[in-house]
Amino acid sequence: MAPRVVVLSLASDFGCQVQLSNMTDEILDVLGLIDLSYWQLASSGHMPDAYDVAIVEGAVTTDEHVALLESVRATAGVVIAIGACANTGGIPGLANLLDLDERYGVVYGDGDGPRVAAGRRAPMPLDSVIAVDYHVPGCPIDPPEFLRVLSRVLLGLKNRVPDLTMCASCKINETVCFFDRGELCLGLVTRAGCGARCPSLNRPCTGCRGIAPDANLVAARAISIASGRPEGALDDALRIYNTAKEVRG
Amino acid sequence: MARLTVEHVARIEGHGNITVNVESGEVREVRMDVVEPARFFESMVVGRRYDEAPLITSRICGICSPNHVVTSIKAIEAALGVEVSERTVMLRKLLVYGSYLQNHATHLYILAAPDYVGLPSVFPLAETMPEVVERALRLKKLGNDLTTAVGGRQVHPVSAVVGGFTSEPPREVLASYRDLLLGVVEDAMATVELFASFQVPDFQTSGEMLALTADDDYAIYDGDTKALDAGWRRPASEYRSFLDETVVGHSNAKHSTVGGRPLLVGSVARANINAHMLNETGRAALAKSGVTLVTRNPFHMNVLQAVELADASARCAGYVEKLLEMGGSSAPEPVAVRAGVGGSATEAPRGTLYHSYEIGADGVVLHGDVITPTAQNLANIEADMRAFAPTVADRDEPEFAVLIEELVRSYDPCLSCSVH
């Protein structure tokens, strides 16, 4: 029997779900292999009581999200976290840098604000609440990588996330290092797997895939300073995608 | 009596609930609760370097990220006094149109069409009407490929930065898009015919309509804001002087009004205001659409998006032609950091998008402000539901529900955008 799959989103821009819908060459084949039971973005219908695989996008930012994730974990055999928000807290995680009430005031002013915004929490990745079985990092996800992970899920193979840093990809691509031109690039410490898309388009890595497990941050800071960047520049740039992880420790 | 509560309305971007309650012809309650959680983007850009702001605000929306990137970049360039090359402008137009092709194809076929054929999603049509699904995927794919060729990725473009582009597609790749774009004109026309064949309610919105307008183009990338009813035309950068935002209790997105009235932005407003700028293909598509302008029917958003698809395919082929002829460079212009304030707008697929920033002398953002198209539409969506619901309250429950949801979906709402 084809696994029953649900696609869910927490606080996000829906960009990773858009990437799922963007797999125009593969989507019909994928749909032939799974039983797509719930996908609010693409289909009417209610969230079923039973399902096998949950694909979750977005950061945890409300008490409702926590309750939803707990029920997802209790129901699904497999949870796949897709995108930076779900994996590192991503850009919503930047909100951890200021007091939440203060941020609320910047957006909604001094009045009461919306009632529906109650129960808000500091933005965090999924694994702050539940165990996650498979990870597809990136902002947004790369469809080929998602398909590789989905294949592993369908075949029952273990989660496997590349743990090299982006520098390895740039070497393969023969991309000239940004540090040689005095530009800061987060590829030095960021998890590989996207083929170093941004550096190959002449833009330094912004760290959307999260910090690689073996990243040498001490050496990276020294390289950043040696290339003429001010002290703290590397850590400050890393905060765009990694604040929630940094705050959680 | 007709009652409707829909939680997490399907086939729209983001999370929203609809409540409609009509008793003996009288509307007791109408609400569009936007429960999508706030991510507080305006506070997140504060304290970041000016060149990081477009990267961050792009993540407001995964569907129209090219618009957020380009609008943000233009606002920052206005604040810092950066002039960009004609080549950069042309490439940015292609980038924004790439997101139009992708978005309109997605909205029309995947989100809206199932309502009109009585299906929960478009996927079952792959069996019964494969040619329709294949056409949808072709259009969507071309939009994605165009965005990827110009911006480096379908969602959240990489190469568009303050001052220009970090890289450009090779000439032969760019050239290939001329024929690819002309190749989908037929698909776009078939889309117009398909949506013209769907019966839509005869309903008139009472809201004002706003869209960008320009003297030399169907305004997407730049222009002044024009009000259809009031007749005024004002610099888009001054949007805070004509758009008022109010915090409402049941929505994490603020509601907008213009001169105290709800307003509609998107394809209906654009077509009403800018039909004279449609190209030949667009005019032919409009003739096929069965819509006579000026229209005040929000259900016409769908077929007019299809008209824009036709116009855009031919228009973008022309942009490619110009880029191949014009030469010049899109390499980022040098930026002299200074203190400044700048605002800008583009037309996103679902309506006008405004960004503005205040930047300090050290290049750090002091203040950011974003008003998205769906935030502008929300008050009008509720006003429309209020006026429309009693006219269809005698229908049986499933039909009532579909009609109300159709109305909401016509606006192509993006709730993540609206809250941001």
Side-chain angles (χ1 to χ4, degrees), chain A residues 181 198 201-204, chain B residues 66 69-70 73-74 77 82-97 146-153 157-169 174 221 323 328-334:
Chain A
R181 345 191 278 214
C198 297
L201 290 162
N202 199 20
R203 183 163 181 182
Chain B
V69 167
V70 168
I73 287 173
K74 284 201 307 156
E77 286 169 352
V82 178
E83 300 264 347
V84 300
S85 70
E86 204 188 325
R87 187 169 187 85
T88 289
V89 169
M90 203 61 79
L91 284 164
R92 285 181 184 169
K93 286 185 176 181
L94 274 183
L95 188 57
V96 170
Y97 267 117
L146 180 62
T147 314
T148 306
V150 178
R153 184 160 61 195
V158 173
S159 52
V161 295
V162 174
F165 284 82
T166 60
S167 86
E168 260 198 44
L174 188 60
Y221 173 75
L323 274 163
S329 166
S330 65
E333 299 288 335

Side-chain angles (χ1 to χ4, degrees), chain A:
Chain A
M1 196 173 74
R4 294 160 297 178
V5 177
V6 296
V7 183
L8 302 169
S9 67
L10 311 180
S12 76
D13 68 351
F14 275 55
C16 293
Q17 290 185 67
V18 173
Q19 286 289 66
L20 297 182
S21 83
N22 282 345
M23 302 186 303
T24 42
D25 291 337
E26 302 91 359
I27 196 160
L28 295 177
D29 291 337
V30 171
L31 288 170
L33 294 171
I34 62 169
D35 169 5
L36 183 62
S37 308
Y38 180 76
W39 187 9
Q40 172 261 339
L41 181 65
S43 182
S44 307
H46 295 287
M47 177 83 173
D49 291 330
Y51 46 88
D52 305 301
V53 178
I55 300 171
V56 187
E57 174 190 34
V60 183
T61 66
T62 66
D63 294 342
E64 242 178 78
H65 291 160
V66 173
L68 174 65
L69 283 178
E70 283 167 351
S71 112
V72 163
R73 188 65 274 182
T75 312
V78 172
V79 175
I80 312 175
I82 60 167
C85 304
N87 281 290
T88 66
I91 284 183
L94 259 178
N96 284 289
L97 288 178
L98 239 187
D99 177 70
L100 269 186
D101 289 332
E102 218 171 304
R103 289 196 175 253
Y104 192 78
V106 170
V107 172
Y108 294 116
D110 300 330
D112 283 345
R115 291 185 301 275
V116 285
R120 61 186 183 276
R121 306 162 61 96
M124 284 291 154
L126 299 192
D127 65 7
S128 70
V129 179
I130 57 164
V132 173
D133 307 305
Y134 292 83
H135 302 266
V136 189
C139 183
I141 56 164
D142 201 23
E145 187 179 17
F146 172 80
L147 287 169
R148 282 197 298 276
V149 173
L150 187 68
S151 307
R152 297 186 76 85
V153 172
L154 296 176
L155 294 167
L157 298 172
K158 275 202 295 197
N159 182 34
R160 189 171 168 278
V161 189
D163 53 8
L164 293 169
T165 65
M166 206 65 73
C167 294
S169 309
C170 275
K171 297 274 184 303
I172 293 167
N173 295 343
E174 299 182 13
T175 303
V176 176
C177 185
F178 287 94
F179 284 98
D180 291 348
R181 345 191 278 214
E183 282 187 63
L184 179 65
C185 175
L186 299 182
L188 213 49
V189 295
T190 298
R191 199 188 277 280
C194 60
R197 182 185 289 261
C198 297
S200 69
L201 290 162
N202 199 20
R203 183 163 181 182
C205 172
T206 53
C208 75
R209 296 176 56 84
I211 297 172
D214 298 334
N216 187 340
L217 282 163
V218 176
R221 286 181 192 114
I223 290 172
S224 171
I225 290 166
S227 77
R229 315 303 303 182
E231 190 152 349
L234 183 97
D235 289 280
D236 187 49
L238 276 172
R239 285 197 183 99
I240 292 183
Y241 283 104
N242 297 286
T243 296
K245 283 276 187 198
E246 184 188 2
V247 170
R248 243 179 102 212

Side-chain angles (χ1 to χ4, degrees), chain B residues 168-187:
Chain B
E168 260 198 44
R171 191 181 163 83
E172 62 277 13
V173 171
L174 188 60
S176 70
Y177 278 90
R178 183 179 38 197
D179 292 340
L180 288 170
L181 285 157
L182 291 174
V184 294
V185 167
E186 204 179 314
D187 283 337

Side-chain angles (χ1 to χ4, degrees), chain B residues 18 52 59 99 105 113 159 177 182 201 266 270 277 289 308 356 376 412 418-420:
Chain B
I18 298 173
E52 294 173 328
R59 273 67 188 179
S99 99
S159 52
Y177 278 90
L182 291 174
R270 285 193 293 261
M277 298 305 293
S289 74
E308 289 187 332
S356 66
Q376 292 169 71
D412 191 6
S418 73
V419 178
H420 63 273

